[in-house]
Amino acid sequence: MSSPTSRSTVTGRKRQRVTIADVARHAGVATMTASRALNRPEMVSEELRARVLQAADDLNYIPDRAAGGLASGTSLALPVLVPTLHHSVYVQILEGLQERLPASGYQIMLGSTEYSREKEEKLVEVFLGWRPSGIVLSGIDHSERTVRLLKSAGIPVVEIMDLAVASEQSQALDLNIGFSHAVVGEAVVRYLASCGYRHVAYAGTLTELDPRSVRRIHGFQTALMRLGLPHHLIGRSDLPSSLAVGRDLVTDLLHRHPEMDAVFFANDELAAGALFECQRRGIRVPEDLAIMGFSDEEIASHLNPALTTVRIPRHEMGRLAADLLLARLAGTLGAQPPIDVGFEIVQRLTTLAPPHLSQEPS
Amino acid sequence: MSSPTSRSTVTGRKRQRVTIADVARHAGVATMTASRALNRPEMVSEELRARVLQAADDLNYIPDRAAGGLASGTSLALPVLVPTLHHSVYVQILEGLQERLPASGYQIMLGSTEYSREKEEKLVEVFLGWRPSGIVLSGIDHSERTVRLLKSAGIPVVEIMDLAVASEQSQALDLNIGFSHAVVGEAVVRYLASCGYRHVAYAGTLTELDPRSVRRIHGFQTALMRLGLPHHLIGRSDLPSSLAVGRDLVTDLLHRHPEMDAVFFANDELAAGALFECQRRGIRVPEDLAIMGFSDEEIASHLNPALTTVRIPRHEMGRLAADLLLARLAGTLGAQPPIDVGFEIVQRLTTLAPPHLSQEPS
DNA sequence: CTGAAAGCGCTAACAG
DNA sequence: CTGTTAGCGCTTTCAG
């Protein structure tokens, strides 16, 4: 700050990060050999490899992923976009992915779209800047720009939780693992009708925002119309789903449609809330009102009475998505048609079939 | 495949990625000006900025984060390590972080440690390779190497969900937001004892792996001993927690300690499972057995009877962690002592105080 | 306020 | 199997 001819005795002010060059020097090999020893062990003689590994360990070497990514044009980042973490379905899918991906060196980057195509587009844009190896999206409904960006990125894309059927003019971007929500809606109606219920309602939250809800409702109403049953019993809420909203939803439906004898909720949380509400009000389930949930969370089987619901293979979807992605990245998997993981109606006690129906063929 | 003198009419085989140089050229400025227009708008004249922005938009420019990171020595990646996504506590903390961080341009990279210090160390090592701007860890117990790596990385670290009190010889790495689990254990005992319960048990899963459980149990037992009450009623399971495990845990405790009159569970899920089990077996709660949970999930207040539990500010912890991190990154926050967000015992119906006690001073 | 040069740390592509 | 040579795309200097 003062002495004029200050000798530049700047003895390494900044703690130098240890680079692969340091490792190579320490091991007495070329930089490239060190790189290979670390990343493609099979290309290096056992002796050198050992020396390099030793050196890396000695120096506490941590490879710089940014540099690696820049040089190789790709990174081990793997963005996963879910609409929300609030629904345990997505958490479980994430768990499934988390089980496999990190083990192969990939890093999950998490993004929540809040059911908004605009947010999804923004996130895709940001994530693409990381030059990820691939990407996982929820659903098959994306903005045009999202589709364009993804296509030109030329990386594997996995869409989960919905099924892109060609006939529905919704083309899968690449890999696709899910099930048809329209078919779920239809199946539920058919099941409920077979139990003898005639005034069947659908109840959910934010139903317009979630294309999967829309399709479920559509299948639901179509099936109802086909059976000549009323299809206008719909309960909606703008709040994110919760037990409390489930209570409100039944309360409201019961008030507006006293004739209602069954409700299909968009998820088990709402259904559980409704069940709690019925218990409090002395409404007998299923005698006075049948209740059905969606996704078969653990709580469904523990409730009293146990909740009839639709089981979907959440965890499996995550694992399968990871496996396909990994296979594709390894180059062992080509184009694939959409994979339907299906679903299953789990009959429990909240929709007990009336006795006179139990002999009907299903 | 045949013609010998095949002219190299390789008209741009590989789709050239658009770089900032392209943008600059398109806008008629130097590369550096384009970079500044994009990242430090205030350093560039309004006119040029507009031109560059336009060009970037025209060309669909997506900045390469790897290149940016390499050049600048840091990235907008922000690793968050949680023990598991299975407990909704961590999911909600994640939601809190997710609310703030992406809005400031940071990308959350997710890691699950499975309550293992070794896995944590591995993850820290990998994530550090991304040259993140900061990092969020769960808990204050880390391997020596983890601590060393983190210290020498010189980035902000936030430890959440536990409190590093100097007296406990556990020094916070940097920022720390949480609460004392030992104090929770003590407070619960004091509360339960004030209700008149004498044979109080603790029940949890994987208790040895989770240092926070260990501290909670320790506080719990210490308080019990101080009151001259039995402190050997402990229920353990090696399975991850679930409603089913909650059922098994009470069943087992009831069998081993018929005199038990209250149980404190490690989380609300276990407590709810236990409650369901008691209902099924005709054990009256709280008359025959009091039940208490931990973390105050939404379900606690909806159960029948509603569950007494310990409320912890999960969401807030996530948001606060994000805010502190952001402030630190912005350079407006220096060293901070650990922040105790506290907790609160929420009395509901599963631990109704016996009448003869209600007049005692709390 | 704008520009030119240099290089971040690593790996692809070639030679030996 | 090992080494050399060039960059990857961006931002940090340092000059205008």
Side-chain angles (χ1 to χ4, degrees):
Chain A
M1 220 180 216
S2 47
S3 74
T5 25
S6 68
R7 278 159 286 137
S8 53
T9 327
V10 212
T11 338
R13 180 55 271 291
K14 48 173 81 163
R15 199 200 298 88
Q16 267 309 126
R17 180 178 242 83
V18 3
T19 72
I20 200 169
D22 299 323
V23 174
R25 205 171 311 123
H26 197 82
V29 298
T31 313
M32 201 50 228
T33 306
S35 170
R36 280 195 277 253
L38 259 17
N39 305 314
R40 276 99 157 300
E42 75 282 1
M43 290 182 67
V44 167
S45 77
E46 197 159 329
E47 194 222 321
L48 287 193
R49 192 193 326 155
R51 237 158 67 201
V52 171
L53 259 31
Q54 183 58 250
D57 202 61
D58 289 351
L59 300 178
N60 257 311
Y61 170 63
I62 295 184
D64 185 318
R65 312 265 160 183
L70 180 57
S72 68
T74 184
S75 79
L76 293 174
L78 223 37
V80 175
L81 300 194
V82 296
T84 172
L85 287 174
H86 186 87
H87 288 336
S88 53
V89 183
Y90 294 104
V91 174
Q92 282 156 351
I93 288 178
L94 249 187
E95 285 186 293
L97 289 163
Q98 191 77 256
E99 260 175 46
R100 312 267 162 135
L101 266 14
S104 301
Y106 293 97
Q107 252 40 255
I108 290 183
M109 299 187 110
L110 184 62
S112 312
T113 66
E114 312 295 336
Y115 291 106
S116 146
R117 281 153 101 123
E118 289 70 43
K119 284 202 181 167
E120 183 183 64
E121 184 179 308
K122 278 268 178 308
L123 284 169
V124 165
E125 197 173 333
V126 169
F127 284 137
L128 248 22
W130 290 91
R131 299 202 178 199
S133 297
I135 186 168
V136 178
L137 304 178
S138 299
I140 54 173
D141 306 86
H142 319 287
S143 77
E144 274 183 43
R145 179 136 191 279
T146 300
V147 172
R148 193 149 25 85
L149 287 174
L150 255 16
K151 287 212 163 134
S152 74
I155 56 173
V157 176
V158 189
E159 294 166 281
I160 56 174
M161 272 300 277
D162 203 345
L163 209 59
V165 190
S167 66
E168 284 181 18
Q169 84 208 79
S170 48
Q171 187 73 40
L173 246 27
D174 183 10
L175 269 11
N176 177 211
I177 302 162
F179 55 92
S180 165
H181 290 260
V183 175
V184 168
E186 289 165 26
V188 167
V189 165
R190 237 175 303 127
Y191 164 72
L192 252 16
S194 82
C195 292
Y197 300 108
R198 308 280 99 168
H199 299 275
V200 178
Y202 181 99
T205 59
L206 302 169
T207 41
E208 332 65 39
L209 286 180
D210 178 5
R212 296 181 283 294
S213 280
V214 171
R215 278 193 272 277
R216 230 176 297 139
I217 295 180
H218 186 257
F220 188 84
Q221 293 190 305
T222 306
L224 245 18
M225 284 162 69
R226 232 171 357 229
L227 292 172
L229 297 175
H231 62 277
H232 60 285
L233 287 69
I234 305 278
R236 284 197 168 86
S237 166
D238 292 329
L239 274 36
S241 91
S242 66
L243 293 167
V245 167
R247 304 188 96 126
D248 293 346
L249 246 20
V250 242
T251 303
D252 174 55
L253 278 169
L254 244 16
H255 177 75
R256 277 166 40 217
H257 305 290
E259 78 280 17
M260 173 177 76
D261 54 15
V263 199
F264 172 43
F265 287 91
N267 60 57
D268 284 354
E269 189 180 29
L270 292 172
L275 190 56
F276 289 138
E277 179 67 18
C278 288
Q279 286 171 345
R280 216 193 55 191
R281 298 167 58 155
I283 294 167
R284 293 169 308 161
V285 175
E287 294 81 356
D288 300 331
L289 181 68
I291 289 183
M292 194 163 164
F294 179 68
S295 87
D296 196 26
E297 305 294 326
E298 197 201 1
I299 195 175
S301 63
H302 291 270
L303 288 168
N304 255 305
L307 181 69
T308 295
T309 184
V310 181
R311 174 177 301 156
I312 55 176
R314 301 148 289 177
H315 218 96
E316 191 198 324
M317 239 182 295
R319 274 197 304 246
L320 194 54
D323 289 343
L324 290 188
L325 206 45
L326 255 17
R328 168 64 63 81
L329 289 170
T332 58
L333 182 74
Q336 281 283 314
I339 297 176
D340 188 348
V341 292
F343 61 89
E344 180 192 355
I345 290 181
V346 185
Q347 155 131 17
R348 296 214 180 86
L349 301 179
T350 55
T351 57
L352 210 50
H356 73 274
L357 277 171
S358 54
Q359 48 219 306
E360 278 191 17
S362 73
Chain B
M1 218 180 217
S2 47
S3 75
T5 25
S6 67
R7 279 157 286 138
S8 54
T9 327
V10 208
T11 338
R13 180 56 271 289
K14 48 171 80 162
R15 201 200 295 88
Q16 266 311 125
R17 180 176 243 84
V18 2
T19 74
I20 201 168
D22 300 323
V23 175
R25 204 171 310 122
H26 198 81
V29 298
T31 312
M32 203 46 233
T33 305
S35 170
R36 281 196 276 255
L38 259 17
N39 305 314
R40 275 97 157 299
E42 74 283 2
M43 290 183 66
V44 167
S45 77
E46 196 158 330
E47 195 223 319
L48 287 194
R49 192 191 330 153
R51 238 160 63 202
V52 171
L53 259 32
Q54 183 58 249
D57 202 61
D58 289 351
L59 301 178
N60 258 310
Y61 171 62
I62 295 184
D64 185 317
R65 313 264 160 184
L70 179 57
S72 69
T74 185
S75 80
L76 294 174
L78 222 37
V80 175
L81 300 195
V82 295
T84 173
L85 287 174
H86 186 87
H87 289 334
S88 53
V89 182
Y90 293 103
V91 173
Q92 282 155 352
I93 288 178
L94 248 187
E95 284 186 294
L97 289 164
Q98 191 77 258
E99 262 175 44
R100 312 267 162 134
L101 266 14
S104 300
Y106 293 98
Q107 250 44 253
I108 291 182
M109 298 187 110
L110 184 62
S112 311
T113 66
E114 311 296 335
Y115 291 106
S116 147
R117 280 151 101 124
E118 289 69 44
K119 284 203 182 168
E120 183 183 65
E121 184 179 308
K122 277 268 179 308
L123 285 169
V124 165
E125 196 173 333
V126 169
F127 283 137
L128 248 23
W130 289 91
R131 301 201 176 200
S133 297
I135 186 168
V136 177
L137 304 179
S138 300
I140 54 173
D141 306 86
H142 318 288
S143 77
E144 275 183 42
R145 178 135 192 280
T146 301
V147 172
R148 193 151 25 87
L149 287 174
L150 254 15
K151 287 211 165 135
S152 74
I155 56 173
V157 177
V158 189
E159 293 166 280
I160 56 174
M161 272 300 277
D162 204 344
L163 209 58
V165 190
S167 66
E168 283 180 19
Q169 83 208 76
S170 49
Q171 187 73 41
L173 246 26
D174 183 11
L175 269 12
N176 178 210
I177 302 163
F179 55 92
S180 164
H181 290 261
V183 175
V184 168
E186 291 165 24
V188 167
V189 166
R190 238 176 299 128
Y191 164 72
L192 252 16
S194 82
C195 292
Y197 300 109
R198 309 278 100 168
H199 298 276
V200 178
Y202 180 99
T205 58
L206 302 169
T207 42
E208 333 65 40
L209 287 181
D210 178 5
R212 297 181 279 296
S213 280
V214 171
R215 279 193 272 277
R216 231 177 295 139
I217 294 180
H218 186 256
F220 187 83
Q221 293 190 306
T222 305
L224 244 18
M225 285 161 68
R226 239 181 341 238
L227 293 172
L229 296 176
H231 62 276
H232 60 285
L233 286 69
I234 305 278
R236 285 198 168 85
S237 167
D238 293 329
L239 274 38
S241 91
S242 67
L243 293 168
V245 168
R247 304 188 96 127
D248 292 346
L249 245 21
V250 243
T251 303
D252 174 54
L253 278 169
L254 244 17
H255 178 75
R256 277 166 40 217
H257 304 289
E259 77 281 16
M260 173 176 77
D261 54 15
V263 199
F264 172 43
F265 286 91
N267 59 58
D268 284 354
E269 190 180 30
L270 293 172
L275 190 56
F276 289 139
E277 179 66 17
C278 288
Q279 287 171 344
R280 215 192 56 189
R281 297 168 58 155
I283 296 168
R284 292 168 310 159
V285 176
E287 295 80 358
D288 300 332
L289 181 68
I291 289 183
M292 195 162 163
F294 179 68
S295 85
D296 196 26
E297 305 293 327
E298 197 202 1
I299 195 175
S301 64
H302 291 270
L303 288 168
N304 256 305
L307 180 70
T308 295
T309 185
V310 181
R311 174 177 302 154
I312 55 176
R314 301 148 289 179
H315 217 96
E316 191 199 323
M317 239 181 299
R319 275 197 304 246
L320 195 54
D323 288 343
L324 290 188
L325 206 45
L326 254 17
R328 168 64 63 79
L329 289 170
T332 59
L333 182 75
Q336 282 282 312
I339 297 176
D340 188 347
V341 292
F343 61 89
E344 180 192 354
I345 290 180
V346 185
Q347 154 129 20
R348 297 214 180 87
L349 302 179
T350 54
T351 56
L352 209 49
H356 74 275
L357 277 172
S358 55
Q359 45 219 307
E360 275 189 19
S362 75

